[in-house]
Amino acid sequence: MLIDSHCHLTSAGLYERVDDVLHRAAEAGVLECITIATGLDDAKRALELSDSKPNVHVVAGIHPHEAEKVGKRWDEELKTVVAQPDVYALGEMGLDYHYDFSDRASQAAVFRRQLEIATDVRKPVVIHCREAHDDVMRTLHEFPLLVNVVFHCFTGARREAEEILAAGYWLSLTGVVTFKKSAKLREVAKMLPADRIMVETDSPYLSPEPVRSMRPNEPANVVHTAACIARERGISIEEFAALATANTRRFFSLPCDVARRRP
Ligand SMILES: [Zn+2]
Ligand SMILES: [Zn+2]
């Protein structure tokens, strides 16, 4: 059994047929999904979804792409959202200097404010970091009381992975690790400590090999990413799935009886 630790079930392409998507996930052994809401409206939708699906858990925050568009009292609203018991973490948040869809000052301000809130509510943090490693690390170091921090869709260099681990943070890998050109990332996947690694699809994006052309990507496909990492680490897929699942449960403090409650 596996958990997709990061997907966007409320995104176009998945949301309209979410029952099918979750059914296919369950058939592939992916019994739980953590859906990431990238803004306040998205969070409402994600919470509605998790209300009817006990195996869907919510993470809510302001994506750096959305940082420029937040309203005046966005932080008060976010506090209310993340106080709900089915919101297990804040995010994805961080800095994206690759796309720069929001100006960097807004990205930095919204990132910092969310880290303050995460510290206050004592919930974990999911980081989105693109070509901004040093600035993200510097910012995080201002918040030493954060509960747990994961760099989602890690695709960086070994040096960056080592810095993240040394700071006590976690890494999560997507289908990018399965791509032919990702030999260096597979090296990173091999050396990550067994208790600090998670897997995700980031669906509807980033379909892994051997289904890379599939659009949209969906949670069932996390099995391909898990198989690739297991192969690199020289362990069975079952063994890797067990450790990744245990890690995800521990990182997010997920309830442990959800899969069993499910018919
Ligand atoms: Zn992201
Ligand atoms: Zn994402």
Side-chain angles (χ1 to χ4, degrees), residues 83-149:
Q84 309 216 29
D86 206 27
V87 177
Y88 287 88
L90 282 80
E92 53 186 291
M93 64 170 86
L95 303 172
D96 192 317
Y97 294 170
H98 178 75
Y99 287 111
D100 276 323
F101 284 158
S102 285
D103 68 79
R104 292 186 182 182
S106 306
Q107 290 192 44
V110 167
F111 183 27
R112 275 211 173 77
R113 183 71 189 111
Q114 291 185 92
L115 291 172
E116 282 170 13
I117 296 170
T119 304
D120 285 350
V121 300
R122 302 204 45 74
K123 287 191 180 180
V125 168
V126 176
I127 296 292
H128 171 106
C129 173
R130 212 99 190 247
E131 292 169 27
H133 176 83
D134 292 347
D135 283 359
V136 166
M137 291 302 284
R138 255 195 299 275
T139 310
L140 283 170
H141 284 140
E142 295 169 27
F143 298 87
L145 299 180
L146 290 168
V147 180
N148 274 330
V149 175

Side-chain angles (χ1 to χ4, degrees), residues 133 137 149 151 154 158-171 188 191-197:
H133 176 83
M137 291 302 284
V149 175
F151 279 63
F154 180 79
R158 187 180 177 127
R159 173 191 68 87
E160 294 170 346
E162 282 166 355
E163 282 178 23
I164 289 166
L165 292 167
Y169 309 146
W170 300 47
L171 292 104
V188 172
M191 69 83 174
L192 288 180
D195 61 349
R196 222 90 73 73
I197 182 170

Side-chain angles (χ1 to χ4, degrees), residues 185-259:
L185 188 56
R186 283 189 287 278
E187 284 299 311
V188 172
K190 200 188 289 184
M191 69 83 174
L192 288 180
D195 61 349
R196 222 90 73 73
I197 182 170
M198 291 192 273
V199 280
E200 58 170 295
T201 55
D202 204 13
S203 51
Y205 317 107
L206 297 174
S207 295
E209 295 290 1
V211 292
R212 195 170 168 183
S213 57
M214 184 172 163
R215 299 279 184 287
N217 188 16
E218 55 180 63
N221 291 333
V222 79
V223 298
H224 300 299
T225 301
C228 167
I229 300 169
R231 212 158 40 233
E232 279 310 309
R233 296 173 74 94
I235 58 176
S236 69
I237 169 110
E238 291 78 14
E239 206 177 329
F240 179 71
L243 75 85
T245 300
N247 288 346
T248 306
R249 282 233 123 72
R250 188 157 49 88
F251 179 89
F252 290 102
S253 298
L254 295 180
C256 50
D257 59 341
V258 172

Side-chain angles (χ1 to χ4, degrees), residues 29-74:
V30 182
L31 299 184
E32 288 172 66
C33 294
I34 296 176
T35 192
I36 315 293
T38 55
L40 292 163
D41 290 337
D42 199 16
K44 278 183 204 122
R45 223 171 8 196
L47 280 164
E48 271 166 33
L49 183 65
S50 79
D51 260 355
S52 60
K53 317 261 183 220
N55 55 338
V56 172
H57 313 296
V58 177
V59 169
I62 312 292
H63 194 287
H65 290 345
E66 309 295 318
E68 224 180 76
K69 299 178 218 151
V70 289
K72 257 208 153 63
R73 300 188 37 90
W74 69 271

